[in-house]
């Protein structure tokens, strides 16, 4: 028997990926692949997307979801930040994108009220725990993206890595 939580999770997808400086492909290529993955996820019944709001892949994914929300009233966006004020030290253009995406969110959650060494991992676990699919941009390097994918694997949540482009 499917519980309400299981049903919600089945319609949800979250994102994980590297910051721009760790990606080894151009931004436009990452954005194109994210868009394709999001469209496939929508075609397969995902309607709620959870964005971790970090620079790079997260914000680009949030931006793509916000665009799709304009065309599809069923699409929802959840912004999950590791801590309140996460974006305050960023360059202005990243802060602008962050706030633009946050304005388009249907729900916002800050996992911690302030920075701690564990807040990023706690945010990543929260996103996976509330998702039925992870769309990743993972290049094999150690870090938070790798940890999130490993956690999703342990939880039995499928991962679609746009840098490998397997099937969902």
């Amino acid at each position: 028997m499917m519980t309400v939580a299981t049903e919600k999770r089945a319609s949800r997808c979250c994102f994980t990926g590297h910051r721009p400086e760790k990606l080894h492909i151009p931004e436009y290529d990452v954005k194109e692949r994210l868009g394709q993955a999001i469209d496939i996820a929508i075609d397969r019944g995902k309607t709620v997307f959870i964005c971790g709001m970090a620079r790079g892949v997260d914000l680009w994914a949030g931006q793509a979801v916000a665009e799709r929300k304009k065309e599809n009233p069923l699409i929802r966006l959840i912004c999950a930040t590791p801590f309140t004020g996460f974006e305050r030290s960023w360059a202005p253009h990243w802060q602008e994108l962050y706030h633009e995406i946050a304005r388009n969110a249907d729900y916002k959650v800050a996992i911690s009220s302030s920075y701690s060494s564990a807040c990023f991992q706690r945010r990543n676990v929260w996103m996976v725990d509330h998702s039925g699919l992870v769309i990743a941009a993972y290049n094999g390097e150690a870090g938070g993206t790798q940890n999130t994918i490993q956690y999703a694997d342990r939880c039995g949540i499928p991962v679609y890595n746009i840098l490998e482009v397997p099937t969902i």
Side-chain angles (χ1 to χ4, degrees), residues 19 51-60 86 90 94 98 123:
R19 305 296 189 278
C51 175
M53 300 298 284
R55 290 182 308 105
V57 172
D58 287 0
L59 290 181
W60 298 331
F86 171 51
W90 296 351
W94 284 114
Y98 174 99
R123 186 261 331 258

Side-chain angles (χ1 to χ4, degrees), residues 100-119:
E100 173 190 322
I101 293 163
R103 281 190 298 275
N104 283 287
D106 297 285
Y107 180 74
K108 298 174 211 158
V109 59
I111 302 305
S112 180
S113 60
S114 61
Y115 173 79
S116 75
S117 59
C119 67

Side-chain angles (χ1 to χ4, degrees), residues 5-12 46 128-132 155 157:
T6 305
E7 286 179 33
K8 281 184 179 181
R9 188 177 197 168
S11 67
R12 292 179 176 188
K46 304 300 183 213
V128 171
D129 285 348
H130 290 84
S131 297
C155 293
I157 304 300

Side-chain angles (χ1 to χ4, degrees), residues 71-91:
E71 305 297 320
N72 184 339
L74 299 176
I75 302 301
R76 298 287 177 260
L77 176 61
I78 297 173
C79 294
T81 60
F83 62 94
T84 305
F86 171 51
E87 80 293 355
R88 288 186 187 141
S89 65
W90 296 351

